[in-house]
Amino acid sequence: MDKVALVGAGGKMGMRCTDNLLHSDYEVDYLEVSGEAITRLREKGVEIANRDIALAQADMVILAVPDIAIRSVSNEIIPKMKSGSMVICLDPAAPLAGHLPHREDLAYYVTHPAHPSVFNWEPTEEAHFDYYGGIAAKQTVVSAIMHGTDQDFEKGDRLTRTIFSPVTVNHRITVEQMAILEPGFSETLSSTCIKKIRDALDVVVAKGVPEAAARDFILGHINIQLAVLFGELPIKFSDAAIKALERAENILFKEGWEDIFEMDNIHEQIKAITE
C-alpha cells in the first residue's frame, strides 16, 4: 500500500482524514506545525513525523490546509516531494487559482466530498446524525485528475474512499466542473439561499409567530419541497404553490443570476476565498 503524508493533520479537515487513516492499510506520516493541533493529535496517540523525511518518502501527499494557506504551504511542500508521487488537494479552489507549484513529474489529484444526502436512509443513530460524512453515513464524492493518468485516478480513488469513508460513488469530473459545483453551486448559490431562509425565520418570529411553530413548519416544508423538486416523489406542487413560486422568483432573483456559473465569475469567486 502507498505511503501517505498528511499535511495539516491536526486541523479541521486534517483530523477527519486522520480518524479514517488511523484504521487503514496506509502507512501514514502526520505533519503539523500548530501547537494546539499537535496536542489534538497526541490525544489520539499520533506523533508528528519529520517533514523532510516524510515528504521524500511519500507516494501521496494530502494538503489538508485552508484554501487561503494553500499557496504558501504548497510552495514549501511540493518541491520536497519525490518524483512520481501525487499531490492531493481536498478542494478545487486553490488548484484552479494556480496556487500550486507545477511539476511535470508529479500527479495532481483533487477530491471533495458531497456530504451525506438529505435523502439518505441510515440504519443507525450514529449514521443518521453524521451530517458531514466520513464517520458512518454514506456519501458520494467528486474527484478529478488535474495532471496525471487513469492509473493515477485509480490510486487517488482508493485514498478518497478511505478518507471520506463510507463512499458509495466517486464521480470523476474535471477540476473546472468541480469549481462550478463548489464554490459556485454549493456555496455561492445554495448556502446563500438557505441562509436567507434561516434569516427569514427571524423575520417571521419578529412578526409574532412562535419560533417553535415557525421552525417546525418550514423544516417540514423544506423536506417535502426538496423531495418534489428533485424527483424523489411522483407528485407536483399545487397550482397555487406554482403561482406563488413564479411570482416570487421575479421578486427575489434578478435577471442574469445564472451568470454565477460562468467560468469568469467562478474565478472571481475563487479569488475571493483564496486571497
Side-chain angles (χ1 to χ4, degrees), residues 18-36:
T18 294
D19 285 339
N20 285 329
L21 286 168
L22 278 172
H23 307 292
S24 73
D25 294 330
Y26 288 99
E27 182 182 351
V28 185
D29 282 327
Y30 300 90
L31 304 180
E32 183 56 74
V33 295
S34 163
E36 183 178 338

Side-chain angles (χ1 to χ4, degrees), residues 110-143:
V110 187
T111 186
H112 194 80
H115 307 298
S117 170
V118 294
F119 299 127
N120 272 5
W121 181 85
E122 300 295 347
T124 67
E125 184 174 352
E126 181 188 27
H128 177 81
F129 288 106
D130 179 16
Y131 298 128
Y132 193 95
I135 299 173
K138 56 187 177 290
Q139 65 175 329
T140 65
V141 182
V142 293
S143 302

Side-chain angles (χ1 to χ4, degrees), residues 199-240:
D199 291 345
L201 175 62
D202 294 333
V203 174
V204 169
V205 171
K207 296 290 184 183
V209 180
E211 182 174 358
R215 178 185 170 91
D216 287 348
F217 192 83
I218 196 58
L219 291 179
H221 273 72
I222 288 171
N223 191 36
I224 187 65
Q225 288 160 351
L226 287 172
V228 171
L229 289 170
F230 284 85
E232 292 294 316
L233 288 175
I235 61 175
K236 297 180 180 180
F237 288 145
S238 68
D239 290 342

